[in-house]
Amino acid sequence: MRHALALAALIALSACGLSPMYAGGSSATVAQGLAAVDIPAIQGQSGWLVRNALQDRLGAAGKTTPVYRLDVRLDDSLEALGVLNDDTISRERRILRARYQLIELATGKVILDATAGSDAGIDVVSSEYATIAAEQKALENLALKLAEQMATQVSLALRTRAAAAQ
């Protein structure tokens, strides 16, 4: 009975249309496409953090000849949320947004034009050092979240492109 249920589950799973994005490991079409993405320098500290996180996610540290370029424009802002009666700030929100385009270098065609974003709340405390450290850590975390969102969308775009070519 158990074997029959397991067999039925496997048949149902294979019929659902899901397939692994990175099937084939580093020789997979998507993995090779990701490794061929050039990420030009992005302005500012937030740009440096996002670019490094993207390079880690995409595996694009100069391993292959670039086929694509990922252009990224960031908007990093810090706004006061909680203002006390004495006009001191008690809470801040750090917002990091990105507009990015994946461009095929050979043709100049835009393959993906998308946005990503995230925000984090920060408590403002009496220690200026602690507040600055919290703002910095929030920026680092937001850069990682943005890079993850962007890498996922780029992967999906490359997968769709590879499926259309077959």
Side-chain angles (χ1 to χ4, degrees):
M1 181 66 175
R2 286 184 191 172
H3 294 293
L5 286 175
L7 183 59
L10 283 175
I11 290 171
L13 184 61
S14 66
C16 74
L18 293 177
S19 64
M21 185 175 300
Y22 300 107
S26 62
S27 62
T29 306
V30 173
Q32 289 179 348
L34 291 175
V37 174
D38 177 44
I39 308 164
I42 307 169
Q43 261 189 334
Q45 180 186 18
S46 57
W48 182 81
L49 290 167
V50 169
R51 182 174 186 262
N52 285 344
L54 277 169
Q55 286 179 327
D56 290 344
R57 298 276 186 295
L58 302 180
K63 295 179 183 175
T64 184
T65 304
V67 176
Y68 307 100
R69 182 182 72 238
L70 186 64
D71 291 335
V72 181
R73 289 189 313 272
L74 292 177
D75 180 26
D76 179 17
S77 63
L78 191 63
E79 58 185 42
L81 284 181
V83 180
L84 302 175
N85 289 339
D86 61 354
D87 288 333
T88 59
I89 298 168
S90 64
R91 188 131 174 97
E92 295 175 331
R93 183 169 84 173
R94 182 150 219 164
I95 304 166
L96 188 60
R97 302 275 184 254
R99 168 98 193 267
Y100 57 100
Q101 292 181 324
L102 182 66
I103 300 168
E104 186 176 32
L105 293 175
T107 62
K109 181 181 176 187
V110 176
I111 296 170
L112 175 67
D113 187 355
T115 59
S118 193
D119 59 88
I122 304 163
D123 287 329
V124 177
V125 295
S126 60
S127 168
E128 189 175 329
Y129 173 77
T131 301
I132 292 170
E135 291 171 354
Q136 180 62 33
K137 186 62 179 173
L139 178 60
E140 292 169 8
N141 291 339
L142 292 174
L144 292 173
K145 285 181 185 179
L146 238 60
E148 187 65 36
Q149 292 174 17
M150 293 165 62
T152 300
Q153 291 302 314
V154 167
S155 298
L156 289 171
L158 291 175
R159 179 182 182 189
T160 302
R161 185 174 174 84
Q166 290 180 353

